[in-house]
Structure formats: C-alpha cells, structure tokens
Amino acid sequence: MPAHVMAVPVLDRGGTADRLRNHLRRRAITRPGLIEGDLYLLPWWRCSGLGPQGETSFYVLAAEVGDPRLHRANLPPADLKPFDASSLPAGARILEATQDERGVMARAAALGWRVDALEELIHYPFWLMRIEDSGRIEGGWIDGVEGRVIHHTLKVPPPVPSLKRCAWILAIPALLTGAVALAFGTGWPVPAAVVAIAAGPGTTRLLRRDARKERDG
C-alpha cells in the first residue's frame, strides 16, 4: 500500500500575508487592503509515469477543490513525515483524498500525462488567501512551506497607460498649435506639424523605457 505522508507547514497566517503583500508590491499592485486566509492540507498523489516535460515523477491532485488552477501545481521541496493530524496547527483544514487510482489516471490523462503507478499520498499545506482589492474580494494560493505564490487572480494594472495612447495624447498639443498658427497666418504651421510627427515615436521610446524600468523594479 502506498505511504501516506505530510509536509508540516512552516509559515503562519501573518508570514503568508507578508509574502503575498510583497509579491503584489513587486508587481505594481499597491492597493490591497485586508489580507487573510485559511490553511488547507491538500492531498496529492506522487505518481510515476510520463509527465508534461518528460519527467518520470510528478504530482496529481487527489481531491476536488473547485479550482482548476491547482491541477498543474508543482509541489515545492519539503521534509516529509508520516501523516499525523494531531501535529498540525489548530484550525488547519484537511481534505481527504477522493480520487482512487482510476480517477488519478483519468485526471492525468486529461492533462496529457501518463500514470504508471501511485507512489505515495502527500498532504501538502497551502494557504488560501483572500485579498480585499478596491472593494472586491479576490484570492490566491500560497504554499505553506516556502511561501511561493502558486496562483492568484489579481489583475496586474499596467504601470503606465498604453504607450500608443500616451504618444497620441502628447502629440495633440503640437497638432493644435499648428492648426491655430495656420488659421491666424503666423507662418510656422510646418514646424509645429514636424514637432507633432516627431513626438509620436520619440515619446513611445521614452515611455517604453520608463515602463521597462517600472517592470524591472
């Protein structure tokens, strides 16, 4: 019979919230308010067979969690010990494995993987975090050992408006200046038009450089 093991969570709720907040800050999301979450121990089968990248050992989720984003998650390395529910933090929620060998093989096949055998059942800690974002509640999964953000649904706003949009907006004053000069016969509509034409690509290059700096931190 395959072994049943577990990874003991390392991060508590506060540490996980800090990891998520730092992750969002690096991605230019600075607006989140309240961050809270619950700890789950999700069951995974470590399988031998043929995985998506040619690997011969991989993991398949062994329960229904109502979130397809987790089907392809790779488990970060962790020290495993025999499963013991009494050693878990208070309030941790344990999901029982509901997929037998046939179900695991079918789920893997739907993802394009081939399962030859189920090696061991691993209960791995994940924090399901809830983030208050401009009045909305959005969520993200973070592993409870290394604090990696596995999945989140927050949309990352662009650090600046569209480059093409900015280029046209900044070119409008020059175009208006040229039109006014032409209407009043001042004699310099051509230079103004040249400035308007040059503003487009020059501004685009400038904005692209600034956007790259913002993205790279």
Side-chain angles (χ1 to χ4, degrees):
M1 183 176 180
H4 186 189
V5 297
M6 61 182 285
V8 178
V10 175
L11 294 175
D12 59 11
R13 182 181 286 103
T16 306
D18 289 340
R19 296 291 181 96
L20 181 57
R21 187 175 290 107
N22 291 336
H23 167 80
L24 299 178
R25 186 178 296 116
R26 289 195 301 269
R27 301 194 66 181
I29 302 179
T30 58
R31 61 180 183 269
L34 178 66
I35 298 180
E36 59 181 6
D38 297 302
L39 177 63
Y40 289 84
L41 262 77
L42 304 182
W44 301 80
W45 280 108
R46 183 173 63 81
C47 305
S48 60
L50 184 62
Q53 304 297 328
E55 61 270 38
T56 57
S57 181
F58 51 90
Y59 302 94
V60 177
L61 186 61
E64 297 295 338
V65 297
D67 195 337
R69 297 174 299 167
L70 284 175
H71 288 176
R72 295 180 179 270
N74 293 321
L75 300 185
D79 292 330
L80 303 177
K81 57 181 293 186
F83 181 82
D84 180 10
S86 64
S87 65
L88 295 173
R93 304 180 182 187
I94 303 172
L95 269 66
E96 299 293 336
T98 58
Q99 296 289 336
D100 57 11
E101 185 173 3
R102 179 177 299 180
V104 171
M105 288 183 173
R107 171 167 287 179
L111 297 172
W113 308 346
R114 188 192 76 228
V115 173
D116 294 335
L118 306 184
E119 301 294 338
E120 64 181 352
L121 179 63
I122 303 173
H123 267 88
Y124 199 96
F126 283 88
W127 285 92
L128 177 57
M129 305 302 291
R130 296 179 299 278
I131 306 105
E132 181 185 358
D133 173 29
S134 302
R136 300 175 301 170
I137 300 296
E138 302 190 49
W141 290 97
I142 299 181
D143 86 79
V145 175
E146 294 188 346
R148 296 184 187 179
V149 179
I150 304 298
H151 290 289
H152 69 75
T153 57
L154 283 170
K155 303 298 186 297
V156 181
V160 295
S162 164
L163 298 179
K164 182 181 295 185
R165 178 182 177 87
C166 284
W168 278 108
I169 290 176
L170 294 178
I172 288 175
L175 292 172
L176 292 177
T177 300
V180 171
L182 181 63
F184 286 92
T186 59
W188 49 283
V190 174
V194 170
V195 170
I197 295 173
T203 303
T204 298
R205 285 194 296 271
L206 178 61
L207 290 171
R208 183 177 293 113
R209 184 191 63 187
D210 292 343
R212 187 180 302 112
K213 289 182 178 179
E214 178 71 20
R215 184 180 63 253
D216 296 340

